[in-house]
Amino acid sequence: MFYDIERIRSLGSQPCLIWRDGSQSYEGLAEAMQRFAVQLPRPRGLIAVEAAAEPEAIAAYLGAMAAGHAVLPLPTGDPATADRLVSQFRPAMSFRRKAGT
């Protein structure tokens, strides 16, 4: 599976995510996924994640999936819609960027 932490970790130091200001290895992504996953509530439930094209959001999405949670993607740049989705579906936890940045 694309969200298996140990499988991702096994790919080591190869670049996985590349963005304007840097990159992150597969091993680094696996660590970030693990850090997010251990913060999630039990039992498994719905986790809202802002669908930003940023390493933190990607790690949050994959970490939630790896921990067995369902993920509700929230739109970026549209806080009103994101708030409505959170209000309607009432996820157990949400990951959103601060002030949309």
Side-chain angles (χ1 to χ4, degrees):
M1 298 251 151
F2 67 89
Y3 52 83
D4 181 314
I5 292 174
E6 292 311 314
R7 183 166 183 232
I8 291 171
R9 189 185 322 277
S10 75
L11 297 171
S13 61
Q14 299 177 70
C16 174
L17 302 176
I18 300 170
W19 61 96
R20 182 180 302 169
D21 299 328
S23 65
Q24 185 173 44
S25 68
Y26 283 96
E27 190 172 56
L29 175 60
E31 290 301 318
M33 290 169 61
Q34 184 74 43
R35 281 192 305 271
F36 187 80
V38 299
Q39 300 176 59
L40 297 174
R42 293 283 179 218
R44 293 179 292 189
L46 182 63
I47 306 298
V49 176
E50 186 174 5
E54 297 175 355
E56 296 83 5
I58 294 167
Y61 176 86
L62 294 174
M65 295 288 291
H69 293 272
V71 176
L72 170 65
L74 298 176
T76 59
D78 187 354
T81 299
D83 289 344
R84 280 194 303 275
L85 287 168
V86 167
S87 186
Q88 180 177 356
F89 292 100
R90 300 191 326 235
M93 185 174 151
S94 294
F95 171 86
R96 293 167 79 173
R97 299 176 298 162
K98 291 182 182 176
T101 61

